[in-house]
Amino acid sequence: MRTSEVVNRARQVLHDTDSSAYRWSNAVLLQYLSDAQTEIAWHIPTANAQFLPLQLTPGEIRQDILPANAIQLLTVERNLLSEGGRAGQMITEMDLDALIRENRNWSQASWSDTIDNFALRAEDPRRFYVSPPAGKAAWVEVLVSQVPLELADGTNLEESIAVPDHFRHILQLFTQGWALMEDTPNADFPQIGRASCRERV
């Protein structure tokens, strides 16, 4: 989905289709659209998710998601034989309490480049736990929810939108809604019309 598909439809609803005298510039509407896709990603983590290779910290059971724009980890999919290399065995998700009950000393186990299990903690969505502790060449493939990149270019209405097409209507509502909230009330009505209304009252 391109930005023009949302912005042009929003302009129709806003009655702002005269390109020679736009009330809202493309840059303004694209900023609202950018904010809209970011809000969607924060509230619906699967809306902008991507598989990424991740090298684990050797000897550690608790691991961090590295990308700065990561919102939360969704899953640890499988082992990788190297960065960008072939896939290894799949990794099983376990409840953290169950992982601890199974082996209370699991954090002291021998390091391994092959991870068997992972666990998430709801209150710490940017970290996860692995069993056994990661070896020096442990790579995994993770699915990470990310903050979308800014739609920064106010002249380009053909940028790709990060969130899927089925969010089109929500993006449009956000964009035109924020535009209306920023607008000067009744700015598009002639002064004489408002004066006449006051005289009638």
Side-chain angles (χ1 to χ4, degrees), residues 145-157:
S145 172
Q146 296 180 302
V147 177
L149 296 175
E150 287 274 325
L151 300 172
D153 187 350
T155 63
N156 183 10
L157 285 180

Side-chain angles (χ1 to χ4, degrees), residues 1-5 8 155-160:
M1 176 172 47
R2 302 291 179 182
T3 52
S4 59
E5 298 175 53
N8 291 343
T155 63
N156 183 10
L157 285 180
E158 295 306 318
E159 285 187 72
S160 294

Side-chain angles (χ1 to χ4, degrees), residues 62-130:
R62 188 174 69 181
Q63 302 289 333
D64 292 302
I65 307 172
L66 296 183
N69 67 332
I71 298 172
Q72 72 178 69
L73 177 80
L74 299 177
T75 191
V76 181
E77 184 82 354
R78 57 190 178 176
N79 288 276
L80 295 176
L81 301 183
S82 62
E83 180 183 11
R86 291 187 302 111
Q89 74 178 35
M90 302 298 288
I91 302 173
T92 303
E93 181 174 6
M94 291 187 68
D95 177 77
L96 183 58
D97 291 335
L99 195 60
I100 293 171
R101 283 196 303 271
E102 185 175 294
N103 180 7
R104 296 183 66 85
N105 297 316
W106 119 83
S107 61
Q108 281 87 47
S110 299
W111 298 7
S112 175
D113 292 337
T114 300
I115 304 303
D116 297 323
N117 305 297
F118 80 96
L120 303 174
R121 176 173 265 161
E123 63 271 23
D124 194 10
R126 285 178 48 85
R127 294 184 177 87
F128 61 101
Y129 296 79
V130 296

